[in-house]
Amino acid sequence: MAVHSRQPGFLHALLTFGLIVITIGTGLFILQTSLHSLMLLCLLIAGVSARRLGADYHTIKSAMNDGIHSALSAIYIFILIGVIIAAFIESGTLATLLYYGIRLIEPAIFLPAGLLFCTIMSLATGTSWGTVGTAGVVLMSIGESMGFPVAVVAGMIISGASFGDKMSPVSDTTNLSAMTSRTDLYAHIKSMSYTSGPVYLIVLALFTFYGLNYSESVLPAEHLDSLSDGLRSTFNISLWALLPLLAMLILSTRRVSAELAMAGSAIVAVLLALVLQGQEFGVVLNSLFYGGSVRSEVAELDSLLGRGGISSMMWTLSLSLMALALGGILDRFGFLRVLIVGILSRVKRAATLVATTIITSLFGNMGMGEAYMTIILGGQLFGDAYDEKGLDRCVMSRSLEEGATLTTALIPWTTGGAFFASTLGVSVLEYAPWALLNWMNPLFSIALAYSGFALFRTGR
């Protein structure tokens, strides 16, 4: 029989959350400890804190299970992305994109072109994860072959994919933010254009400037030619190899669920690996777990084509499970809810409310490890405060997206941060400074709020 638990006080909630942040910060930046070990310590802190409220073991375990259950779709996508990357390697899809990318894209325009490409793909499909797991992997390979720093390329990919995701009417987080804020979807997107649009243009200009200045130090044409020759000698380079990517785009734009779109794309890729590349069925199936099995005559290509597979996502998956379990405890026992309510009682200005929404969404991601839970909680708690100050709820939905959807990529232990780092092969701490849109947009929005710009009022 479950023991009744009470709600924590503000100081209790603040101490619990503070200990979790300090544990992660100290372990990550000072002791350089494994994130998995730090998550175990944080689970212990949250569990002991919940026990102090009168909760028994079974109730705490149930809260952890609920936290994991709330993001099961993300876990399925982790596995499917590993499968897709391996299947794209075996089918020659990645090699074909890499080949044409090396041949056709000038180094000077690689960064802005990549940013635009990721934006368009994410807008069309509504998923930053799908974009990073497909186009992002290809662009990382092209960028590495051209000699660009991997952190810069990863930051460019994540910036473009994140912008397209949050502005897409078929994105899950875009629809969730509008729904939980009880505002019209297109009013939500229009509201975001006032803050995200200018930042995107600034980010595009910065990557263009960096690319132009860096293009002189990229790898010589002879080296790129050797990579192209190595790809041609290893794969049957053909436009037919792009069918898996086309299948994913078609299924995504038809509003097919992300999991089914990815599974369908992977099936097409496996068939192409057998028919177009002449691979053995057993080898292809093994690669779906262990990663790409193709070996070329160029050592550099082997490292680019040896990625993917379900096994490559296990680090990410295990970390996410622990982070989600932690979020389940913090959510069930009201630690974040009490903190937000306590902070809202001290908010007086409309601009401060916007800043509070963005900042608490960031901390919500840090505590619960997942943007979905943060958006839902924020929609439940902030609505009355926006109504009292006469602000249109599209301002709230916009602030939730900018504080939750964008910042999840900047936190190593969230599902988004762990996924991007694992898929692109670059740690969050390395790429975060270059994920320009993800940290500039929230700061820009707060500054605009205090200037009074785009603070839409009800009845406007």
Side-chain angles (χ1 to χ4, degrees), residues 120-455:
I120 293 169
M121 185 168 179
S122 200
L123 273 169
T125 62
T127 168
S128 60
W129 286 28
T131 299
V132 170
T134 52
V137 172
V138 173
L139 289 170
M140 283 298 297
S141 299
I142 296 174
E144 285 184 70
S145 66
M146 289 183 172
F148 282 95
V150 292
V152 176
V153 180
M156 172 269 290
I157 292 166
I158 293 166
S159 292
S162 297
F163 177 80
D165 186 347
K166 75 189 291 283
M167 299 300 291
S168 173
V170 298
S171 165
D172 50 3
T173 56
T174 305
N175 281 274
L176 182 63
S177 297
M179 180 181 67
T180 56
S181 300
R182 288 184 290 165
T183 189
D184 178 72
L185 172 62
Y186 291 97
H188 168 54
I189 294 173
K190 181 180 178 181
S191 178
M192 289 193 295
S193 69
Y194 282 86
T195 54
S196 299
V199 174
Y200 183 79
L201 294 177
I202 293 171
V203 170
L204 179 61
L206 290 173
F207 277 121
T208 301
F209 178 77
Y210 184 88
L212 289 172
N213 281 274
Y214 193 82
S215 60
E216 295 181 358
S217 60
V218 298
L219 299 180
E222 295 79 9
H223 185 82
L224 298 180
D225 287 340
S226 70
L227 294 177
S228 298
D229 293 340
L231 289 169
R232 269 210 169 278
S233 65
T234 307
F235 293 92
N236 182 0
I237 302 297
S238 167
L239 292 179
W240 289 107
L242 302 182
L243 281 177
L245 189 59
L246 180 63
M248 176 179 283
L249 286 171
I250 292 174
L251 291 172
S252 297
T253 53
R254 288 181 176 272
R255 300 299 299 273
V256 175
S257 69
E259 295 92 335
L260 288 177
M262 291 176 184
S265 178
I267 291 171
V268 174
V270 168
L271 292 175
L272 278 178
L274 302 176
V275 176
L276 185 64
Q277 304 300 339
Q279 296 278 33
E280 295 180 9
F281 188 52
V283 172
V284 174
L285 287 182
N286 277 331
S287 74
L288 299 184
F289 181 79
Y290 293 108
S293 62
V294 178
R295 293 293 177 268
S296 69
E297 299 176 358
V298 182
E300 188 175 345
L301 283 178
D302 290 343
S303 65
L304 298 177
L305 301 173
R307 301 181 178 184
I310 296 173
S311 63
S312 70
M313 305 306 295
M314 289 300 101
W315 185 95
T316 306
L317 180 58
S318 57
L319 177 64
S320 297
L321 289 174
M322 287 190 284
L324 290 168
L326 174 63
I329 296 176
L330 295 177
D331 180 43
R332 168 78 70 86
F333 299 102
F335 292 106
L336 286 173
R337 185 181 300 270
V338 167
L339 282 177
I340 292 174
V341 171
I343 293 169
L344 280 178
S345 65
R346 297 165 173 80
V347 173
K348 305 301 180 185
R349 296 177 56 186
T352 305
L353 178 59
V354 170
T356 300
T357 305
I358 293 173
I359 294 170
T360 54
S361 294
L362 165 64
F363 281 97
N365 281 349
M366 293 174 68
M368 294 189 287
E370 174 57 64
Y372 297 117
M373 297 168 67
T374 301
I375 291 171
I376 292 170
L377 180 62
Q380 294 171 346
L381 298 180
F382 287 109
D384 290 342
Y386 277 81
D387 293 341
E388 289 171 5
K389 290 180 170 50
L391 288 175
D392 193 298
R393 286 197 173 214
C394 69
V395 178
M396 179 176 77
S397 63
R398 177 185 78 202
S399 302
L400 286 173
E401 277 247 71
E402 290 165 347
T405 303
L406 290 181
T407 64
T408 185
L410 306 176
I411 305 168
W413 57 91
T414 61
T415 54
F419 172 78
F420 292 149
S422 176
T423 303
L424 299 178
V426 185
S427 74
V428 175
L429 298 182
E430 287 182 280
Y431 75 63
W434 293 100
L436 301 178
L437 184 115
N438 297 71
W439 59 264
M440 287 177 64
N441 197 162
L443 293 177
F444 186 74
S445 296
I446 293 173
L448 281 186
Y450 280 101
S451 74
F453 180 75
L455 284 179

Side-chain angles (χ1 to χ4, degrees), residues 58-72 324-325 327-329 331-332 373:
H58 295 290
T59 306
I60 296 171
K61 181 181 177 182
S62 173
M64 294 167 63
N65 292 342
D66 288 345
I68 294 173
H69 184 268
S70 68
L72 276 179
L324 290 168
I329 296 176
D331 180 43
R332 168 78 70 86
M373 297 168 67

Side-chain angles (χ1 to χ4, degrees), residues 26-65:
T26 303
L28 199 60
F29 298 105
I30 299 177
L31 302 177
Q32 298 183 340
T33 309
S34 164
L35 266 175
H36 292 73
S37 300
L38 295 175
M39 281 296 109
L40 284 174
L41 287 177
C42 291
L43 277 170
L44 179 62
I45 292 169
V48 170
S49 191
R51 186 70 185 89
R52 295 281 296 173
L53 296 173
D56 63 5
Y57 167 74
H58 295 290
T59 306
I60 296 171
K61 181 181 177 182
S62 173
M64 294 167 63
N65 292 342

Side-chain angles (χ1 to χ4, degrees), residues 101-114:
I102 291 173
R103 303 294 294 184
L104 301 177
I105 299 178
E106 291 292 329
I109 65 166
F110 169 71
L111 291 178

